[in-house]
Amino acid sequence: MKRSFNILVLGNGRIARAVSFYLGKSRLVKSVTLDSSGKNAAKFDLLLGAFPGDLGTIPLRLALKHRIDLIDISDVEPQVYLKNKRLIESRGITVIPCCGFGPGLINFILGRELADRKNIDTVQIKAGSLSPKPNYFPFLWCFEDLVLEHRIPSWQVINGKTCKFGPFARCQRESFFGIESESYFAQSGFENMMQGVRVKNFSFRVVRPRGFREFFYYLESEGFLTSANMLITKNIVEKDVRDNITLATISLTKKRKKIIWLMKSQSRRKERLNSMQKITAVTPAAMAQALMSGSIKEKGLLFMEELGKDARLFDYLLKANRIEGIIISRKGI
């Protein structure tokens, strides 16, 4: 008889609720509980962390304390997990960090490609959210983390050197699916991969609707993003939901050959889940299924780029996303 699991989702934001929705579809799941306190964590068989940056280390601490497997999509730097690698191993648990969209699904695909193909010269990742409605800026995930993303510097590998760039650096105009857009260098969550892969160029660009940079500067200059006004601004911008798209592209160049991956999720304005919720939540729910079913047997710290090297797991995860309506395609040029 197959074991059924009681899962605790740590968090109660939009992504946490979306993960709970997808977990509820599994026959291996007995119950899914959303709770930000973690007071009763010891009673559960599996933890799933979905906290914003300022609370992000709580799931790992609870997993270590109670010796419970953890799948984490909290906004935590990879170095935090690496510092606890030996402790995770000594506890005999499995911890899969950075298991959302970006980082997460993107790392998973990158890990597979870089394992199969040597001498890749350039890796460029672009990811973000758009809307077909002109002059509309979708805020689809943790508002506080999104604001922070556009305030801090980023590190990119340019011509073999790791370079530091300020927010909104090297803004360029482009178009996706006929939608006027702009992109710029940003912190990505892929910095750990940048250090471990020998490529000449490795960059991440966040994609936003055309005019977003000016809109963000306006909010900053008028004080709408101060700590006193952040919650008010958040409620206003999140209330107006329109049709939305979340996308990512991965371009890998080897001499004159190029491989391009596209990931795309879309939602109508009145759907239960927005496009970011979908594309972020399907992957951790699927990885939880793989862990519960025994498809992932390894213990210790398992990053998504390493798991992507497993051919069977790779095919499984892409299929799980496609079943839920996430478009994933690959083409060579």
Side-chain angles (χ1 to χ4, degrees), residues 51-68:
F51 275 136
D54 56 339
L55 301 172
T57 58
I58 293 175
L60 179 58
R61 295 205 301 268
L62 289 172
L64 291 170
K65 178 180 179 180
H66 300 296
R67 299 175 185 266
I68 304 174

mmCIF file of all heavy atoms in Angstrom, residues 51-68:
data_model
loop_
_atom_site.group_PDB
_atom_site.id
_atom_site.type_symbol
_atom_site.label_atom_id
_atom_site.label_comp_id
_atom_site.label_asym_id
_atom_site.label_seq_id
_atom_site.Cartn_x
_atom_site.Cartn_y
_atom_site.Cartn_z
ATOM 1 N N PHE A 51 8.309 31.404 1.471
ATOM 2 C CA PHE A 51 8.395 32.670 2.195
ATOM 3 C C PHE A 51 9.117 33.724 1.366
ATOM 4 O O PHE A 51 9.977 33.395 0.542
ATOM 5 C CB PHE A 51 9.160 32.497 3.501
ATOM 6 C CG PHE A 51 8.322 32.009 4.655
ATOM 7 C CD1 PHE A 51 8.794 31.020 5.503
ATOM 8 C CD2 PHE A 51 7.077 32.559 4.914
ATOM 9 C CE1 PHE A 51 8.047 30.585 6.581
ATOM 10 C CE2 PHE A 51 6.313 32.128 5.991
ATOM 11 C CZ PHE A 51 6.799 31.140 6.821
ATOM 12 N N PRO A 52 8.818 35.009 1.601
ATOM 13 C CA PRO A 52 9.591 36.079 0.969
ATOM 14 C C PRO A 52 10.976 36.171 1.589
ATOM 15 O O PRO A 52 11.280 35.479 2.579
ATOM 16 C CB PRO A 52 8.754 37.331 1.268
ATOM 17 C CG PRO A 52 8.018 36.991 2.532
ATOM 18 C CD PRO A 52 7.715 35.524 2.435
ATOM 19 N N GLY A 53 11.817 37.049 1.035
ATOM 20 C CA GLY A 53 13.219 37.114 1.406
ATOM 21 C C GLY A 53 13.502 37.267 2.880
ATOM 22 O O GLY A 53 14.387 36.611 3.430
ATOM 23 N N ASP A 54 12.757 38.144 3.591
ATOM 24 C CA ASP A 54 13.073 38.408 4.986
ATOM 25 C C ASP A 54 12.746 37.240 5.905
ATOM 26 O O ASP A 54 13.226 37.175 7.038
ATOM 27 C CB ASP A 54 12.352 39.677 5.463
ATOM 28 C CG ASP A 54 10.837 39.608 5.270
ATOM 29 O OD1 ASP A 54 10.378 38.806 4.440
ATOM 30 O OD2 ASP A 54 10.130 40.374 5.941
ATOM 31 N N LEU A 55 11.942 36.299 5.437
ATOM 32 C CA LEU A 55 11.581 35.127 6.236
ATOM 33 C C LEU A 55 12.111 33.831 5.619
ATOM 34 O O LEU A 55 11.859 32.745 6.139
ATOM 35 C CB LEU A 55 10.055 35.025 6.364
ATOM 36 C CG LEU A 55 9.342 36.216 7.005
ATOM 37 C CD1 LEU A 55 7.823 36.038 6.881
ATOM 38 C CD2 LEU A 55 9.728 36.369 8.462
ATOM 39 N N GLY A 56 12.861 33.971 4.542
ATOM 40 C CA GLY A 56 13.204 32.828 3.702
ATOM 41 C C GLY A 56 13.961 31.696 4.356
ATOM 42 O O GLY A 56 13.869 30.546 3.916
ATOM 43 N N THR A 57 14.734 31.965 5.422
ATOM 44 C CA THR A 57 15.536 30.896 6.030
ATOM 45 C C THR A 57 14.755 30.045 7.018
ATOM 46 O O THR A 57 15.255 29.013 7.474
ATOM 47 C CB THR A 57 16.760 31.486 6.760
ATOM 48 O OG1 THR A 57 16.316 32.407 7.766
ATOM 49 C CG2 THR A 57 17.665 32.224 5.775
ATOM 50 N N ILE A 58 13.529 30.430 7.347
ATOM 51 C CA ILE A 58 12.739 29.680 8.330
ATOM 52 C C ILE A 58 12.484 28.236 7.895
ATOM 53 O O ILE A 58 12.649 27.308 8.696
ATOM 54 C CB ILE A 58 11.413 30.405 8.624
ATOM 55 C CG1 ILE A 58 11.695 31.727 9.348
ATOM 56 C CG2 ILE A 58 10.479 29.524 9.460
ATOM 57 C CD1 ILE A 58 10.458 32.574 9.585
ATOM 58 N N PRO A 59 12.063 27.976 6.640
ATOM 59 C CA PRO A 59 11.813 26.581 6.246
ATOM 60 C C PRO A 59 13.022 25.668 6.430
ATOM 61 O O PRO A 59 12.880 24.531 6.903
ATOM 62 C CB PRO A 59 11.423 26.701 4.768
ATOM 63 C CG PRO A 59 10.821 28.053 4.660
ATOM 64 C CD PRO A 59 11.646 28.911 5.573
ATOM 65 N N LEU A 60 14.213 26.145 6.073
ATOM 66 C CA LEU A 60 15.409 25.320 6.231
ATOM 67 C C LEU A 60 15.679 25.037 7.698
ATOM 68 O O LEU A 60 16.027 23.913 8.067
ATOM 69 C CB LEU A 60 16.617 26.006 5.589
ATOM 70 C CG LEU A 60 17.950 25.251 5.708
ATOM 71 C CD1 LEU A 60 17.853 23.861 5.084
ATOM 72 C CD2 LEU A 60 19.078 26.050 5.045
ATOM 73 N N ARG A 61 15.514 26.032 8.549
ATOM 74 C CA ARG A 61 15.731 25.823 9.979
ATOM 75 C C ARG A 61 14.767 24.782 10.536
ATOM 76 O O ARG A 61 15.142 23.931 11.350
ATOM 77 C CB ARG A 61 15.592 27.146 10.730
ATOM 78 C CG ARG A 61 16.649 28.176 10.373
ATOM 79 C CD ARG A 61 16.858 29.174 11.496
ATOM 80 N NE ARG A 61 15.661 29.896 11.852
ATOM 81 C CZ ARG A 61 15.306 31.075 11.332
ATOM 82 N NH1 ARG A 61 16.074 31.639 10.400
ATOM 83 N NH2 ARG A 61 14.201 31.682 11.719
ATOM 84 N N LEU A 62 13.513 24.836 10.097
ATOM 85 C CA LEU A 62 12.524 23.863 10.572
ATOM 86 C C LEU A 62 12.819 22.454 10.053
ATOM 87 O O LEU A 62 12.668 21.471 10.777
ATOM 88 C CB LEU A 62 11.124 24.291 10.134
ATOM 89 C CG LEU A 62 10.545 25.526 10.840
ATOM 90 C CD1 LEU A 62 9.243 25.954 10.170
ATOM 91 C CD2 LEU A 62 10.312 25.247 12.320
ATOM 92 N N ALA A 63 13.243 22.380 8.792
ATOM 93 C CA ALA A 63 13.581 21.069 8.213
ATOM 94 C C ALA A 63 14.731 20.423 8.976
ATOM 95 O O ALA A 63 14.713 19.216 9.268
ATOM 96 C CB ALA A 63 13.931 21.231 6.741
ATOM 97 N N LEU A 64 15.746 21.208 9.310
ATOM 98 C CA LEU A 64 16.903 20.690 10.051
ATOM 99 C C LEU A 64 16.514 20.304 11.473
ATOM 100 O O LEU A 64 16.945 19.264 11.992
ATOM 101 C CB LEU A 64 18.010 21.734 10.067
ATOM 102 C CG LEU A 64 18.691 22.011 8.726
ATOM 103 C CD1 LEU A 64 19.594 23.244 8.820
ATOM 104 C CD2 LEU A 64 19.491 20.799 8.268
ATOM 105 N N LYS A 65 15.722 21.133 12.108
ATOM 106 C CA LYS A 65 15.326 20.878 13.493
ATOM 107 C C LYS A 65 14.515 19.595 13.627
ATOM 108 O O LYS A 65 14.750 18.781 14.535
ATOM 109 C CB LYS A 65 14.516 22.063 14.024
ATOM 110 C CG LYS A 65 14.019 21.878 15.457
ATOM 111 C CD LYS A 65 13.214 23.092 15.908
ATOM 112 C CE LYS A 65 12.693 22.901 17.333
ATOM 113 N NZ LYS A 65 11.894 24.091 17.775
ATOM 114 N N HIS A 66 13.561 19.397 12.698
ATOM 115 C CA HIS A 66 12.642 18.264 12.822
ATOM 116 C C HIS A 66 12.992 17.093 11.899
ATOM 117 O O HIS A 66 12.265 16.106 11.854
ATOM 118 C CB HIS A 66 11.218 18.732 12.533
ATOM 119 C CG HIS A 66 10.734 19.801 13.473
ATOM 120 N ND1 HIS A 66 10.567 19.583 14.819
ATOM 121 C CD2 HIS A 66 10.399 21.110 13.250
ATOM 122 C CE1 HIS A 66 10.123 20.694 15.399
ATOM 123 N NE2 HIS A 66 10.023 21.635 14.470
ATOM 124 N N ARG A 67 14.101 17.213 11.155
ATOM 125 C CA ARG A 67 14.554 16.153 10.252
ATOM 126 C C ARG A 67 13.465 15.780 9.231
ATOM 127 O O ARG A 67 13.097 14.613 9.076
ATOM 128 C CB ARG A 67 14.988 14.913 11.047
ATOM 129 C CG ARG A 67 16.146 15.185 12.006
ATOM 130 C CD ARG A 67 16.469 13.962 12.859
ATOM 131 N NE ARG A 67 17.486 14.258 13.844
ATOM 132 C CZ ARG A 67 18.797 14.038 13.670
ATOM 133 N NH1 ARG A 67 19.232 13.506 12.546
ATOM 134 N NH2 ARG A 67 19.655 14.347 14.634
ATOM 135 N N ILE A 68 12.975 16.786 8.538
ATOM 136 C CA ILE A 68 11.911 16.598 7.548
ATOM 137 C C ILE A 68 12.411 17.080 6.193
ATOM 138 O O ILE A 68 13.063 18.122 6.091
ATOM 139 C CB ILE A 68 10.646 17.395 7.936
ATOM 140 C CG1 ILE A 68 10.168 16.995 9.340
ATOM 141 C CG2 ILE A 68 9.527 17.150 6.923
ATOM 142 C CD1 ILE A 68 9.026 17.848 9.847
#
